[in-house]
Amino acid sequence: MSEESPRCAVPSPGGSAPLSFVKDWQDWHASRERYAGSEYGPSALESTNWLITEAAAVDGIPGLWALTGDGGIRGSELGQAGSTVVLRGSESIRLGRRELRVFERHGTLALRVLNPARPQREWFTAIDAYAPDERWRLPAVFEETPDERIVITSVDGDARETPVAGRLRFELAGAPQTLTVTRSAQGALSAVFADGTNGLETYRFRFLPVDEPAADGTAVIDFNRAYLPPCAFSDQFVCPLPPAGNRYSTPIRAGERVVVLGG
């Protein structure tokens, strides 16, 4: 599948969906496109550099870079004065147009370099998506799974045990299914899933936010809000892959499909 094949970048409403539903979706889709194509958005990620405590050069930026050993990243020999900088947490620095950020995964730090002049950022045109369709808002029942953990594997092969917030039970094409969801540090529920459109009509997998279920466990899975993971915009992201239970053979023709590049 070519991610450069343009289709309908901003879908027109389908069927007889209420205008408020369509307008809300279009506003969400427009905000996603603004974010994806922004100067330091996901398409600008040029490299993710896993450092050690021994200083080394990083492609595209001056100086030598290393872990400080106490939760930071140090850049030395920067510029003519040989200045030094230490980045921690959410701190960042710009050297020319490139922006350097700290990325932390399971206690391991990397230096990320974002470049607005990266060709994929400059060529970004749109995010192709299916037209919003209320039929893809599926009723579900949420079941909490206290203390359950599953192994989540990332695109780079890193595998870690992750707490499971619960499972949503729903029907897809008349067959009972479950959707395993996790909870972010901010408390939001989300899922990673694959379906029968992947590799043909859509990217290899997608992310899905899930609204908090009602007190009685009833919930709605809105596949119209399925969105492309960051690694669809740059292969330097290390996105989690869908767990086995979140892989469906049925095509889910809703939400975002692929990145559209101009060039």
Side-chain angles (χ1 to χ4, degrees):
M1 176 187 65
S2 171
E3 293 189 349
E4 299 186 15
S5 300
R7 299 227 178 197
C8 177
V10 180
S12 58
S16 58
L19 290 178
S20 59
F21 166 75
V22 174
K23 178 64 163 57
D24 287 347
W25 184 91
Q26 289 176 335
D27 289 345
W28 168 79
H29 181 67
S31 70
R32 281 279 301 159
E33 290 189 317
R34 286 193 298 272
Y35 163 69
S38 61
E39 195 172 23
Y40 293 96
S43 295
L45 183 61
E46 188 172 64
S47 65
T48 295
N49 305 275
W50 300 98
L51 305 173
I52 58 176
T53 52
E54 182 178 345
V58 172
D59 286 347
I61 57 174
L64 298 175
W65 299 85
L67 301 178
T68 62
D70 61 355
I73 291 177
R74 177 183 291 108
S76 58
E77 300 183 24
L78 304 177
Q80 293 181 345
S83 58
T84 297
V85 65
V86 174
L87 301 176
R88 299 180 188 277
S90 61
E91 295 176 340
S92 63
I93 187 175
R94 289 188 185 173
L95 300 177
R97 290 192 69 199
R98 285 181 168 88
E99 182 169 289
L100 279 57
R101 300 177 185 172
V102 178
F103 171 63
E104 186 270 336
R105 181 176 67 175
H106 309 304
T108 302
L109 299 181
L111 181 68
R112 280 191 159 159
V113 180
L114 289 91
N115 180 13
R118 182 174 180 260
Q120 290 86 343
R121 211 288 300 183
E122 293 188 323
W123 297 341
F124 174 83
T125 301
I127 300 174
D128 185 19
Y130 295 101
D133 187 340
E134 280 205 308
R135 291 173 297 181
W136 284 109
R137 286 176 50 83
L138 305 182
V141 176
F142 179 71
E143 297 179 357
E144 289 188 290
T145 53
D147 304 321
E148 183 180 351
R149 301 173 71 87
I150 59 173
V151 174
I152 297 291
T153 303
S154 298
V155 293
D156 65 342
D158 180 80
R160 303 276 175 163
E161 278 198 348
T162 302
V164 173
R167 287 187 175 83
L168 289 157
R169 298 193 178 277
F170 68 105
E171 283 194 2
L172 183 60
Q177 301 286 356
T178 62
L179 180 72
T180 299
V181 295
T182 58
R183 195 177 291 279
S184 70
Q186 294 73 37
L189 294 174
S190 65
V192 185
F193 75 96
D195 69 277
T197 68
N198 298 157
L200 299 171
E201 302 175 25
T202 62
Y203 186 69
R204 56 191 290 202
F205 59 92
R206 291 179 285 172
F207 288 179
L208 183 69
V210 177
D211 289 340
E212 196 67 28
D216 63 358
T218 56
V220 172
I221 302 173
D222 188 356
F223 283 109
N224 293 284
R225 298 300 176 100
Y227 65 96
L228 298 176
C231 47
F233 301 91
S234 170
D235 62 4
Q236 291 300 300
F237 285 102
V238 286
C239 301
L241 295 169
N246 288 4
R247 298 174 182 267
Y248 313 113
S249 59
T250 300
I252 297 176
R253 294 189 170 95
E256 295 182 351
R257 298 179 58 191
V258 292
V259 177
V260 180
L261 301 178

